[in-house]
Amino acid sequence: MMPDWLSPKGTSTRLEVDVTFLETRTPCASPVLPDGLSLERVLPPALTLYRQLYRDVGEDYCWWMRRPMPDAQLAEILHDPSVYFMVLWDAAGVALGFYELDLRDHGDANLAYFGLVPAAIGQRLGPVLLNCAVSQAFDAGSWRLRVNTCTLDHPRALTNYQKGGFVIRHVVQEVWDVPDEYLPPRLRRL
């Protein structure tokens, strides 16, 4: 059953989406960040930064499900000690991207969200950040790391996950009723 806050309150657009579920069971070598960059866990309270990065990273790719989520529910996730909200920063303290690594399922880790802000795309930071997430999951004792992507994500998302050692386990066709307020301009009705 879908939570009430995910039900569109106003106009919405129905989208057919292929969701690809991937996993890796192969640890990677500890990555080295390029000079001037740092990766830090942001500890609670982090809702404002999380919401900003979620919007900035995912706005063009129809990331919307966390946007209407009530603060209390989002805080419950982010405040769990087994959930890691990791932010990639440049030397000036500007956030370049983030990932949310969920380690609550006893070694069956989930990369819940992952991405770069638009200004950081094309700088070859995605593979480095992905290696950080994979390394962190396995260093924490995970036996598997799962992630999913969909046909609305960045066009290179699936390929980048595969290059990062992930293999496709299955693909599911879904229909999403996306509130128009969260719809990327490229998908809006004319």
PDB file of all heavy atoms in Angstrom, residues 21-41:
ATOM      1  N   PHE A  21      17.129  -3.449 -11.540  1.00  0.00           N
ATOM      2  CA  PHE A  21      17.708  -3.791 -10.242  1.00  0.00           C
ATOM      3  C   PHE A  21      19.056  -4.464 -10.478  1.00  0.00           C
ATOM      4  O   PHE A  21      19.147  -5.425 -11.237  1.00  0.00           O
ATOM      5  CB  PHE A  21      16.766  -4.715  -9.476  1.00  0.00           C
ATOM      6  CG  PHE A  21      15.468  -4.048  -9.099  1.00  0.00           C
ATOM      7  CD1 PHE A  21      14.410  -3.994 -10.007  1.00  0.00           C
ATOM      8  CD2 PHE A  21      15.315  -3.457  -7.858  1.00  0.00           C
ATOM      9  CE1 PHE A  21      13.223  -3.368  -9.676  1.00  0.00           C
ATOM     10  CE2 PHE A  21      14.131  -2.827  -7.516  1.00  0.00           C
ATOM     11  CZ  PHE A  21      13.074  -2.779  -8.434  1.00  0.00           C
ATOM     12  N   LEU A  22      20.084  -3.929  -9.831  1.00  0.00           N
ATOM     13  CA  LEU A  22      21.446  -4.434  -9.991  1.00  0.00           C
ATOM     14  C   LEU A  22      22.029  -4.770  -8.628  1.00  0.00           C
ATOM     15  O   LEU A  22      21.539  -4.305  -7.594  1.00  0.00           O
ATOM     16  CB  LEU A  22      22.329  -3.376 -10.650  1.00  0.00           C
ATOM     17  CG  LEU A  22      21.898  -2.824 -11.996  1.00  0.00           C
ATOM     18  CD1 LEU A  22      21.268  -1.465 -11.826  1.00  0.00           C
ATOM     19  CD2 LEU A  22      23.084  -2.724 -12.923  1.00  0.00           C
ATOM     20  N   GLU A  23      23.102  -5.541  -8.662  1.00  0.00           N
ATOM     21  CA  GLU A  23      23.832  -5.838  -7.434  1.00  0.00           C
ATOM     22  C   GLU A  23      25.283  -6.128  -7.756  1.00  0.00           C
ATOM     23  O   GLU A  23      25.632  -6.449  -8.892  1.00  0.00           O
ATOM     24  CB  GLU A  23      23.223  -7.024  -6.697  1.00  0.00           C
ATOM     25  CG  GLU A  23      23.421  -8.354  -7.390  1.00  0.00           C
ATOM     26  CD  GLU A  23      22.868  -9.523  -6.583  1.00  0.00           C
ATOM     27  OE1 GLU A  23      21.756  -9.415  -6.038  1.00  0.00           O
ATOM     28  OE2 GLU A  23      23.579 -10.547  -6.521  1.00  0.00           O
ATOM     29  N   THR A  24      26.101  -6.004  -6.732  1.00  0.00           N
ATOM     30  CA  THR A  24      27.485  -6.458  -6.806  1.00  0.00           C
ATOM     31  C   THR A  24      27.787  -7.206  -5.516  1.00  0.00           C
ATOM     32  O   THR A  24      27.278  -6.867  -4.453  1.00  0.00           O
ATOM     33  CB  THR A  24      28.494  -5.313  -7.010  1.00  0.00           C
ATOM     34  OG1 THR A  24      29.804  -5.876  -7.176  1.00  0.00           O
ATOM     35  CG2 THR A  24      28.509  -4.322  -5.874  1.00  0.00           C
ATOM     36  N   ARG A  25      28.588  -8.233  -5.673  1.00  0.00           N
ATOM     37  CA  ARG A  25      29.076  -8.989  -4.523  1.00  0.00           C
ATOM     38  C   ARG A  25      30.595  -8.933  -4.473  1.00  0.00           C
ATOM     39  O   ARG A  25      31.227  -9.710  -3.772  1.00  0.00           O
ATOM     40  CB  ARG A  25      28.596 -10.440  -4.613  1.00  0.00           C
ATOM     41  CG  ARG A  25      27.085 -10.543  -4.542  1.00  0.00           C
ATOM     42  CD  ARG A  25      26.588 -11.954  -4.682  1.00  0.00           C
ATOM     43  NE  ARG A  25      25.134 -11.960  -4.779  1.00  0.00           N
ATOM     44  CZ  ARG A  25      24.352 -12.816  -4.159  1.00  0.00           C
ATOM     45  NH1 ARG A  25      24.868 -13.765  -3.411  1.00  0.00           N
ATOM     46  NH2 ARG A  25      23.050 -12.751  -4.298  1.00  0.00           N
ATOM     47  N   THR A  26      31.143  -7.992  -5.233  1.00  0.00           N
ATOM     48  CA  THR A  26      32.591  -7.886  -5.382  1.00  0.00           C
ATOM     49  C   THR A  26      33.095  -6.581  -4.778  1.00  0.00           C
ATOM     50  O   THR A  26      32.786  -5.496  -5.294  1.00  0.00           O
ATOM     51  CB  THR A  26      32.972  -7.937  -6.871  1.00  0.00           C
ATOM     52  OG1 THR A  26      32.377  -9.090  -7.463  1.00  0.00           O
ATOM     53  CG2 THR A  26      34.466  -7.970  -7.050  1.00  0.00           C
ATOM     54  N   PRO A  27      33.876  -6.667  -3.700  1.00  0.00           N
ATOM     55  CA  PRO A  27      34.470  -5.449  -3.139  1.00  0.00           C
ATOM     56  C   PRO A  27      35.434  -4.813  -4.143  1.00  0.00           C
ATOM     57  O   PRO A  27      35.951  -5.485  -5.031  1.00  0.00           O
ATOM     58  CB  PRO A  27      35.234  -5.943  -1.909  1.00  0.00           C
ATOM     59  CG  PRO A  27      34.710  -7.310  -1.635  1.00  0.00           C
ATOM     60  CD  PRO A  27      34.228  -7.863  -2.944  1.00  0.00           C
ATOM     61  N   CYS A  28      35.658  -3.543  -3.990  1.00  0.00           N
ATOM     62  CA  CYS A  28      36.640  -2.861  -4.839  1.00  0.00           C
ATOM     63  C   CYS A  28      37.757  -2.326  -3.945  1.00  0.00           C
ATOM     64  O   CYS A  28      37.612  -2.265  -2.726  1.00  0.00           O
ATOM     65  CB  CYS A  28      35.986  -1.733  -5.635  1.00  0.00           C
ATOM     66  SG  CYS A  28      35.330  -0.384  -4.629  1.00  0.00           S
ATOM     67  N   ALA A  29      38.841  -1.959  -4.573  1.00  0.00           N
ATOM     68  CA  ALA A  29      39.952  -1.364  -3.822  1.00  0.00           C
ATOM     69  C   ALA A  29      39.496  -0.030  -3.244  1.00  0.00           C
ATOM     70  O   ALA A  29      38.638   0.643  -3.805  1.00  0.00           O
ATOM     71  CB  ALA A  29      41.141  -1.158  -4.748  1.00  0.00           C
ATOM     72  N   SER A  30      40.058   0.338  -2.134  1.00  0.00           N
ATOM     73  CA  SER A  30      39.706   1.623  -1.522  1.00  0.00           C
ATOM     74  C   SER A  30      40.039   2.745  -2.495  1.00  0.00           C
ATOM     75  O   SER A  30      41.173   2.866  -2.961  1.00  0.00           O
ATOM     76  CB  SER A  30      40.479   1.819  -0.221  1.00  0.00           C
ATOM     77  OG  SER A  30      40.070   0.876   0.730  1.00  0.00           O
ATOM     78  N   PRO A  31      39.052   3.555  -2.821  1.00  0.00           N
ATOM     79  CA  PRO A  31      39.275   4.619  -3.798  1.00  0.00           C
ATOM     80  C   PRO A  31      40.082   5.779  -3.220  1.00  0.00           C
ATOM     81  O   PRO A  31      40.118   5.987  -2.006  1.00  0.00           O
ATOM     82  CB  PRO A  31      37.859   5.077  -4.145  1.00  0.00           C
ATOM     83  CG  PRO A  31      37.033   4.695  -2.968  1.00  0.00           C
ATOM     84  CD  PRO A  31      37.683   3.499  -2.345  1.00  0.00           C
ATOM     85  N   VAL A  32      40.713   6.496  -4.112  1.00  0.00           N
ATOM     86  CA  VAL A  32      41.449   7.703  -3.745  1.00  0.00           C
ATOM     87  C   VAL A  32      40.712   8.877  -4.375  1.00  0.00           C
ATOM     88  O   VAL A  32      40.505   8.906  -5.588  1.00  0.00           O
ATOM     89  CB  VAL A  32      42.909   7.643  -4.248  1.00  0.00           C
ATOM     90  CG1 VAL A  32      43.631   8.945  -3.941  1.00  0.00           C
ATOM     91  CG2 VAL A  32      43.617   6.447  -3.649  1.00  0.00           C
ATOM     92  N   LEU A  33      40.311   9.820  -3.543  1.00  0.00           N
ATOM     93  CA  LEU A  33      39.614  10.999  -4.058  1.00  0.00           C
ATOM     94  C   LEU A  33      40.607  11.943  -4.726  1.00  0.00           C
ATOM     95  O   LEU A  33      41.759  12.069  -4.269  1.00  0.00           O
ATOM     96  CB  LEU A  33      38.916  11.738  -2.923  1.00  0.00           C
ATOM     97  CG  LEU A  33      37.710  11.041  -2.312  1.00  0.00           C
ATOM     98  CD1 LEU A  33      37.219  11.826  -1.088  1.00  0.00           C
ATOM     99  CD2 LEU A  33      36.591  10.891  -3.318  1.00  0.00           C
ATOM    100  N   PRO A  34      40.183  12.608  -5.790  1.00  0.00           N
ATOM    101  CA  PRO A  34      41.054  13.617  -6.408  1.00  0.00           C
ATOM    102  C   PRO A  34      41.411  14.718  -5.394  1.00  0.00           C
ATOM    103  O   PRO A  34      40.652  14.992  -4.460  1.00  0.00           O
ATOM    104  CB  PRO A  34      40.185  14.184  -7.539  1.00  0.00           C
ATOM    105  CG  PRO A  34      39.188  13.111  -7.836  1.00  0.00           C
ATOM    106  CD  PRO A  34      38.925  12.430  -6.520  1.00  0.00           C
ATOM    107  N   ASP A  35      42.556  15.331  -5.599  1.00  0.00           N
ATOM    108  CA  ASP A  35      42.998  16.418  -4.714  1.00  0.00           C
ATOM    109  C   ASP A  35      41.912  17.479  -4.580  1.00  0.00           C
ATOM    110  O   ASP A  35      41.266  17.848  -5.565  1.00  0.00           O
ATOM    111  CB  ASP A  35      44.275  17.073  -5.251  1.00  0.00           C
ATOM    112  CG  ASP A  35      45.499  16.186  -5.081  1.00  0.00           C
ATOM    113  OD1 ASP A  35      45.436  15.240  -4.256  1.00  0.00           O
ATOM    114  OD2 ASP A  35      46.503  16.436  -5.764  1.00  0.00           O
ATOM    115  N   GLY A  36      41.737  17.954  -3.365  1.00  0.00           N
ATOM    116  CA  GLY A  36      40.784  19.025  -3.109  1.00  0.00           C
ATOM    117  C   GLY A  36      39.378  18.548  -2.813  1.00  0.00           C
ATOM    118  O   GLY A  36      38.522  19.356  -2.466  1.00  0.00           O
ATOM    119  N   LEU A  37      39.121  17.259  -2.953  1.00  0.00           N
ATOM    120  CA  LEU A  37      37.786  16.739  -2.673  1.00  0.00           C
ATOM    121  C   LEU A  37      37.793  15.958  -1.369  1.00  0.00           C
ATOM    122  O   LEU A  37      38.798  15.362  -0.990  1.00  0.00           O
ATOM    123  CB  LEU A  37      37.313  15.827  -3.801  1.00  0.00           C
ATOM    124  CG  LEU A  37      37.191  16.438  -5.184  1.00  0.00           C
ATOM    125  CD1 LEU A  37      36.603  15.428  -6.162  1.00  0.00           C
ATOM    126  CD2 LEU A  37      36.347  17.706  -5.166  1.00  0.00           C
ATOM    127  N   SER A  38      36.655  15.968  -0.712  1.00  0.00           N
ATOM    128  CA  SER A  38      36.504  15.170   0.500  1.00  0.00           C
ATOM    129  C   SER A  38      35.122  14.530   0.495  1.00  0.00           C
ATOM    130  O   SER A  38      34.185  15.057  -0.099  1.00  0.00           O
ATOM    131  CB  SER A  38      36.700  16.029   1.750  1.00  0.00           C
ATOM    132  OG  SER A  38      35.705  17.031   1.821  1.00  0.00           O
ATOM    133  N   LEU A  39      35.023  13.409   1.164  1.00  0.00           N
ATOM    134  CA  LEU A  39      33.763  12.693   1.307  1.00  0.00           C
ATOM    135  C   LEU A  39      33.499  12.580   2.797  1.00  0.00           C
ATOM    136  O   LEU A  39      34.338  12.040   3.532  1.00  0.00           O
ATOM    137  CB  LEU A  39      33.854  11.306   0.666  1.00  0.00           C
ATOM    138  CG  LEU A  39      32.588  10.458   0.722  1.00  0.00           C
ATOM    139  CD1 LEU A  39      31.474  11.084  -0.117  1.00  0.00           C
ATOM    140  CD2 LEU A  39      32.883   9.050   0.243  1.00  0.00           C
ATOM    141  N   GLU A  40      32.361  13.105   3.221  1.00  0.00           N
ATOM    142  CA  GLU A  40      32.069  13.124   4.648  1.00  0.00           C
ATOM    143  C   GLU A  40      30.652  12.658   4.911  1.00  0.00           C
ATOM    144  O   GLU A  40      29.731  12.969   4.151  1.00  0.00           O
ATOM    145  CB  GLU A  40      32.236  14.542   5.203  1.00  0.00           C
ATOM    146  CG  GLU A  40      33.652  15.065   5.128  1.00  0.00           C
ATOM    147  CD  GLU A  40      33.773  16.504   5.606  1.00  0.00           C
ATOM    148  OE1 GLU A  40      32.796  17.042   6.168  1.00  0.00           O
ATOM    149  OE2 GLU A  40      34.845  17.091   5.409  1.00  0.00           O
ATOM    150  N   ARG A  41      30.512  11.942   6.017  1.00  0.00           N
ATOM    151  CA  ARG A  41      29.183  11.572   6.480  1.00  0.00           C
ATOM    152  C   ARG A  41      28.574  12.800   7.146  1.00  0.00           C
ATOM    153  O   ARG A  41      29.193  13.435   7.995  1.00  0.00           O
ATOM    154  CB  ARG A  41      29.261  10.428   7.485  1.00  0.00           C
ATOM    155  CG  ARG A  41      27.884   9.982   7.949  1.00  0.00           C
ATOM    156  CD  ARG A  41      27.971   8.840   8.928  1.00  0.00           C
ATOM    157  NE  ARG A  41      26.638   8.298   9.176  1.00  0.00           N
ATOM    158  CZ  ARG A  41      26.398   7.344  10.036  1.00  0.00           C
ATOM    159  NH1 ARG A  41      27.399   6.797  10.733  1.00  0.00           N
ATOM    160  NH2 ARG A  41      25.174   6.902  10.218  1.00  0.00           N
TER     161      ARG A  41
END
